Amino acid sequence: GHWGRCVGDCGSGGIRSRAVWCTHVEGWTTYHANCYQKDKPESQRRCFKICDWHLELFEWEVSAWDRCGLISSAGGEVVARACVTAQHGLQRRSVRCLQKLNRTVVANEICEYFTPQPPAEQACLVPCPRDCVVSEFSGWSECGTGCAKSLQHRTRAVIAPPLYGGAPCPNLTESRPCSTPACPLGEEEHTYSLRVGPWSECQLPHPKDIDLVGRTMPDLGSESGEPSTSGLQGYKPHHHPREVEIGYQARQVRCVRSDGKNAALSLCLQDPVPLTFKSCVIAKDCEMSEWSPWSACSQTCGWGDLTPGFRSRHRGIRSMAVGAGKQCLELEEREACSAGGKELLQPCPRFAWRTSEWKACQVSLLLDQQDPRHHKHVGLCGGGIQTREVYCVQITMELGMHRLKEVSRPVDGKLCLGPAPSTSQLCNLPCPSECVVSAWSVWGPCLHENCQDHRRGRGFRMRQRQVIVDPIGTLADCPHLIESIPCEDPVCYEWVVSEGICVTDHGKCGPGKRILKAVCKNRKGEEVPHHLCSELPYPEVVACEIPCAMDCVISEWSAWSPCSHSCSNKNAEGSQGRSRSILALPAEGGKACPPDQALQEHRTCNDHPCMHFFWETSPWSSCSEDVLVTALNATINWSGEATCGVGIQTRKVFCMKSSSGQVTPKRCPESIRPETVRPCLLLCKKNCVVTPFSEWTRCPTACQPGNATAVKQSRYRIIIQDAANGGQTCPDTLYEERECEDIPICPVYRWKTHRWSHCVLVPDSVRQTVLGHNEACGHGLQSRAVTCLSEHNDSASVGDCLRWAGAMPSLVQECLVPCKDDCTFTPWSKFTACSFDCGSTRSRRRSLTG
């Protein structure tokens, strides 16, 4: 069957059930035993039941939209269209349902229970592609002198870079070999290659260049960054920002000829020329505080197996690493510990699963799982599901059986080991059925109403029938089961005859005598001494015959015919008969067939409907208290089950005649008069039993942001037994919550960024050693100070801001000092044509290239 909805406790304690059938290959259902049990699918599965109060525990997490991309066709390629201003595109983002506490991903159905899932796609516009625009090539460079082969170059610049997928830029440089004269005979032609050495360590400039580079302690009074708004614990009132020192590093660049000799650098020049020096940051290692003392051991009680606990210690950050300095190490250490010897520890509390009583069988639950359209049914019966509450309790002490057992308050289910008991099981609700009775038995012998008094000459005959199917859930009761009629010459005892085998007089066949066995019995069917039946004729020996092969062959007796009777005489007996027929005539010498009158038999009978008397009863009354029975008092055990006093039920008895209704009771036999009073079990009132409230859930020990929603704590209790028989009803409130008090507000800390320093270049003394680098321009580094401030603008430690305000803003960035190059233009375009108007002008244009 289909999986039903999740039922049971809120959260992960729910159970989802389904019905499992064993079916024949032709489709009809059969017994479960006919299917292999090892292949039987599971009928229950754990599930997460969503409840309204889960709204505070889960939320949608939505990422930022990614870059807008063009919509692809069915083949997966981007659809090509003429672009005018922009093209339609599609951008996506990830949408996940998260548990707020530990930010773990859960099923989307949980968040969808409260709010719809945010869209993961949306339409967008992609600007039209813009191709790269470059300038004209410059003139060719001069060729070198001499006979060595060399190249001449020309360059062009990028005026507008490509955007939105436009055509990339073409090559910006071109080279061609120079036409040089052939070298004199005997001189070899060589190739040249550029060798670039490793960067040296970052070093500070010479003291004479301090005014150009030096240490950068930016102005702390002006703020240029965006302040952060997070928080922290404690602060240092006189904490200064760490210095960032900018130095330089260099590397060797040389030109090597193919024979290994150094050559002029101009023979190996390439575009762009490798840098031989650059600015850098002087490395400084992370500085950390001393370790704090070890915390107390987490283990405070013994579980019997000496499971160790843990202790920890912490340290803070005094200053962050700068440049290539060593990064900060671990801020926390943990190690195993023991709080003392086993004899010194108190035993840890034990926990166990407890359950409430099973609730009433619900057929609709199983129907809803098979077909959700079955919501409202009248008179449901058959297979269903009944549920119960399962909870975890702490076992404080075991009490004696003679004392009332305390109902413990529920605790967190994680404390109970082992699988939890099932919260649901299959059950059966009997379907309503009418009473079904058997056919009437034959009328019994004529019996005395009182065998102790032989003076009365009247008796009665009785017949019975049995209940085959008891009525269930119907108002109609079973019909009467006993009927009696009056008769004459009653007897208290009778011979009960059992026929023996037929013993022939001579040989194996022919006439003989049937040995009879007679037993004297009373009207209850009990065997009594023979002398009590002495007044009755003893059964005579019955003649019999075993037919020989050549004798006459006759059939067995037929069944007795129905009893014929005239109702004109109420005491007259009827008659009934039976017969048999000749199957084969005798052979010569065989025994002759009996005469026709021997083939017929008749006997008297009284099985007629003329005078049927029977007792009829009214239904039993409800069970009421018997004032005479006071010895049994109600005792209630811990589960609320009650063994209460004995009550009585009463009913009325009527003597009925089948043809004329109720008659005087004297007409019905007193010996079979139904009882009018019977004892019954008087059900006690069952009061509702609930557990005490659980402990309040813990309020968070960590601080909360000042703008966070109010944090609440809750507690609950569980109904163990529902009220019944007019007992005390269950309380309305099973779940309570309240706002947490005295929750610490997280401190607010923020990074303060100061003004960037001027751009620090490589010192002149280093730069001027390289040909063509006399001007103080190009790429360098600039630094700034970053400090940590509390919400009161007091100075705080770096570790506080790292904890509450996030990562530290960058301390160094690249910068550029423009070089004083000449202004360059493209060549002039042609003049425009003149118009026919007198006094008109014509124009030409050129573009800025550098």
Side-chain angles (χ1 to χ4, degrees):
H2 299 291
W3 286 109
R5 64 173 184 266
C6 198
V7 298
D9 294 338
C10 294
S12 58
I15 294 291
R16 190 188 302 276
S17 304
R18 65 177 176 182
V20 177
W21 298 276
C22 178
T23 58
H24 192 267
V25 292
E26 298 178 358
W28 45 271
T29 305
T30 180
Y31 295 106
H32 281 208
N34 293 335
C35 288
Y36 290 110
Q37 295 304 306
K38 63 183 180 61
D39 299 332
K40 184 178 181 181
E42 60 180 357
S43 60
Q44 288 190 341
R45 178 180 296 173
R46 299 189 70 86
C47 57
F48 189 94
K49 183 180 179 184
I50 309 169
C51 297
D52 291 340
W53 55 270
H54 283 144
L55 175 63
E56 301 296 331
L57 302 182
F58 302 96
E59 66 179 359
W60 289 110
E61 181 193 62
V62 181
S63 67
W65 292 106
D66 61 9
R67 189 174 59 85
C68 187
L70 295 179
I71 302 176
S72 301
S73 63
E77 298 182 357
V78 176
V79 179
R81 297 188 181 92
C83 185
V84 179
T85 57
Q87 294 175 284
H88 290 284
L90 191 68
Q91 57 185 162
R92 296 179 174 86
R93 63 180 178 180
S94 64
V95 178
R96 305 184 301 173
C97 182
L98 296 185
Q99 186 175 352
K100 292 182 181 180
L101 181 62
N102 52 12
R103 310 304 293 174
T104 56
V105 181
V106 298
N108 285 352
E109 291 82 358
I110 297 179
C111 290
E112 286 178 346
Y113 183 82
F114 305 107
T115 56
Q117 179 173 343
E121 295 182 346
Q122 73 175 6
C124 56
L125 292 177
V126 182
C128 292
R130 195 173 80 182
D131 298 338
C132 178
V133 180
V134 296
S135 66
E136 297 291 335
F137 274 113
S138 64
W140 289 102
S141 62
E142 295 181 359
C143 285
T145 59
C147 64
K149 291 183 178 180
S150 61
L151 298 175
Q152 60 180 162
H153 311 279
R154 66 176 182 177
T155 61
R156 58 183 171 184
V158 176
I159 298 175
L163 294 176
Y164 314 118
C169 295
N171 289 336
L172 301 179
T173 61
E174 285 186 354
S175 302
R176 67 183 181 184
C178 292
S179 55
T180 55
C183 289
L185 189 62
E187 292 189 11
E188 299 177 359
E189 293 185 2
H190 295 282
T191 58
Y192 301 89
S193 59
L194 199 64
R195 301 286 177 86
V196 180
W199 288 106
S200 66
E201 289 188 5
C202 192
Q203 56 185 330
L204 289 173
H206 194 270
K208 67 179 181 180
D209 296 320
I210 288 294
D211 57 334
L212 294 177
V213 186
R215 298 184 179 181
T216 58
M217 283 292 293
D219 177 18
L220 302 185
S222 61
E223 185 176 350
S224 60
E226 294 181 0
S228 177
T229 57
S230 297
L232 162 44
Q233 296 175 347
Y235 67 95
K236 294 184 178 180
H238 301 292
H239 182 77
H240 297 287
R242 190 171 191 181
E243 299 174 348
V244 177
E245 295 179 308
I246 297 178
Y248 72 94
Q249 55 188 156
R251 63 181 174 181
Q252 186 182 32
V253 177
R254 59 195 179 99
C255 184
V256 179
R257 204 167 66 178
S258 56
D259 59 359
K261 295 182 179 180
N262 290 336
L265 193 59
S266 60
L267 297 176
C268 290
L269 283 182
Q270 64 184 37
D271 189 22
V273 179
L275 293 175
T276 58
F277 49 80
K278 66 177 181 180
S279 300
C280 58
V281 177
I282 302 296
K284 291 186 179 181
D285 297 338
C286 170
E287 293 184 9
M288 308 185 71
S289 64
E290 298 297 328
W291 285 108
S292 67
W294 286 103
S295 65
C297 192
S298 62
Q299 189 81 347
T300 58
C301 62
W303 288 92
D305 56 356
L306 294 180
T307 303
F310 293 94
R311 64 174 184 171
S312 61
R313 63 177 182 174
H314 300 79
R315 60 181 173 183
I317 297 175
R318 288 177 177 169
S319 58
M320 298 289 291
V322 178
K326 295 181 181 179
Q327 297 298 314
C328 298
L329 301 177
E330 295 294 329
L331 300 179
E332 180 183 9
E333 278 188 353
R334 297 181 69 192
E335 68 176 12
C337 63
S338 177
K342 181 179 179 181
E343 66 279 1
L344 300 179
L345 296 178
Q346 294 292 328
C348 292
R350 298 177 58 196
F351 301 92
W353 294 108
R354 292 287 183 265
T355 62
S356 67
E357 63 178 9
W358 288 106
K359 296 179 181 177
C361 189
Q362 296 289 331
V363 180
S364 59
L365 293 179
L366 192 56
L367 288 176
D368 290 344
Q369 294 170 10
Q370 297 176 5
D371 189 350
R373 294 172 297 177
H374 293 237
H375 280 299
K376 293 184 179 179
H377 303 273
V378 179
L380 291 175
C381 63
I385 293 178
Q386 57 184 160
T387 60
R388 63 180 176 181
E389 298 286 346
V390 176
Y391 59 99
C392 181
V393 299
Q394 177 178 337
I395 302 175
T396 54
M397 58 181 174
E398 296 293 338
L399 300 177
M401 295 300 293
H402 62 282
R403 298 181 58 185
L404 296 181
K405 188 172 182 180
E406 179 187 0
V407 179
S408 303
R409 69 176 71 248
V411 297
D412 189 350
K414 296 177 181 178
L415 299 174
C416 278
L417 302 177
S422 173
T423 58
S424 62
Q425 70 176 7
L426 298 177
C427 57
N428 186 73
L429 202 61
C431 296
S433 62
E434 300 290 339
C435 182
V436 179
V437 295
S438 66
W440 287 108
S441 66
V442 297
W443 288 103
C446 188
L447 304 174
H448 270 291
E449 290 186 2
N450 186 0
C451 284
Q452 307 300 326
D453 184 8
H454 296 279
R455 292 173 297 177
R456 298 181 60 183
R458 292 179 59 81
F460 67 93
R461 297 180 187 273
M462 185 173 64
R463 65 176 182 177
Q464 298 175 335
R465 56 183 173 182
Q466 290 80 34
V467 175
I468 299 177
V469 178
D470 290 318
I472 299 176
T474 58
L475 297 178
D477 208 349
C478 287
H480 63 279
L481 304 177
I482 301 175
E483 286 187 352
S484 60
I485 57 175
C487 59
E488 303 292 340
D489 300 326
V491 294
C492 289
Y493 308 98
E494 62 177 341
W495 290 108
V496 177
V497 179
S498 57
E499 295 184 353
I501 60 175
C502 184
V503 179
T504 59
D505 296 336
H506 304 285
K508 295 183 179 180
C509 61
K513 295 181 177 58
R514 190 178 299 279
I515 302 175
L516 302 179
K517 181 181 179 182
V519 178
C520 184
K521 292 187 177 181
N522 60 17
R523 64 183 185 183
K524 295 181 180 180
E526 300 169 345
E527 187 173 348
V528 296
H530 285 200
H531 68 86
L532 296 177
C533 292
S534 59
E535 298 180 359
L536 301 175
Y538 190 83
E540 299 178 355
V541 176
V542 178
C544 63
E545 184 176 359
I546 298 177
C548 296
M550 304 299 290
D551 293 342
C552 175
V553 180
I554 58 177
S555 67
E556 295 293 330
W557 287 105
S558 66
W560 289 102
S561 64
C563 185
S564 63
H565 183 76
S566 173
C567 290
S568 60
N569 185 354
K570 63 181 180 180
N571 291 324
E573 293 182 335
S575 65
Q576 56 186 160
R578 63 177 180 174
S579 63
R580 57 183 177 176
S581 59
I582 298 174
L583 299 179
L585 294 174
E588 184 177 356
K591 181 182 177 182
C593 293
D596 291 341
Q597 61 269 19
L599 299 177
Q600 304 287 333
E601 276 190 358
H602 298 275
R603 70 179 183 184
T604 60
C605 61
N606 56 9
D607 188 8
H608 56 82
C610 296
M611 298 296 288
H612 293 185
F613 296 93
F614 57 89
W615 292 105
E616 186 71 84
T617 61
S618 65
W620 287 106
S621 66
S622 59
C623 192
S624 59
E625 185 177 357
D626 186 357
V627 295
L628 300 178
V629 182
T630 57
L632 297 177
N633 293 325
T635 58
I636 303 178
N637 58 21
W638 75 274
S639 65
E641 297 177 355
T643 304
C644 281
V646 176
I648 60 170
Q649 287 179 287
T650 60
R651 64 179 176 180
K652 295 181 180 180
V653 178
F654 313 96
C655 182
M656 305 294 292
K657 180 181 178 183
S658 58
S659 59
S660 59
Q662 184 174 346
V663 296
T664 174
K666 295 181 179 180
R667 305 298 298 273
C668 289
E670 189 66 27
S671 59
I672 60 170
R673 179 185 178 95
E675 59 184 1
T676 58
V677 178
R678 70 177 181 184
C680 58
L681 181 62
L682 192 61
L683 295 178
C684 286
K685 294 180 180 180
K686 290 175 65 175
N687 296 331
C688 175
V689 179
V690 296
T691 65
F693 271 110
S694 64
E695 298 291 343
W696 287 101
T697 55
R698 292 185 178 180
C699 288
T701 55
C703 65
Q704 301 295 311
N707 58 352
T709 57
V711 181
K712 296 182 179 180
Q713 57 180 166
S714 61
R715 64 177 184 175
Y716 65 96
R717 53 184 172 182
I718 295 172
I719 296 177
I720 299 177
Q721 172 183 280
D722 288 312
N725 305 321
Q728 184 178 356
T729 58
C730 293
D732 294 333
T733 305
L734 299 176
Y735 176 81
E736 291 182 349
E737 64 178 14
R738 66 185 182 187
E739 291 189 4
C740 289
E741 299 179 356
D742 301 329
I743 296 180
I745 302 299
C746 293
V748 178
Y749 289 86
R750 62 186 180 91
W751 293 108
K752 180 179 180 181
T753 56
H754 300 269
R755 182 180 301 165
W756 288 105
S757 68
H758 62 275
C759 194
V760 180
L761 305 175
V762 177
D764 289 344
S765 59
V766 177
R767 188 174 60 253
Q768 290 172 357
T769 59
V770 179
L771 188 64
H773 288 78
N774 296 329
E775 185 180 353
C777 64
H779 290 276
L781 294 176
Q782 59 184 160
S783 63
R784 65 178 175 183
V786 176
T787 54
C788 179
L789 297 180
S790 69
E791 58 183 324
H792 303 297
N793 288 329
D794 295 326
S795 178
S797 68
V798 174
D800 293 335
C801 277
L802 287 174
R803 180 178 180 185
W804 302 106
M808 175 184 285
S810 60
L811 298 174
V812 180
Q813 72 175 8
E814 292 186 356
C815 54
L816 175 65
V817 177
C819 296
K820 298 176 182 177
D821 294 334
D822 294 334
C823 183
T824 57
F825 298 92
T826 61
W828 284 107
S829 66
K830 293 182 179 181
F831 279 107
T832 58
C834 284
S835 64
F836 294 105
D837 298 335
C838 293
S840 63
T841 59
R842 59 180 182 167
S843 62
R844 64 178 182 176
R845 295 177 178 273
R846 63 178 177 178
S847 301
L848 180 67
T849 58

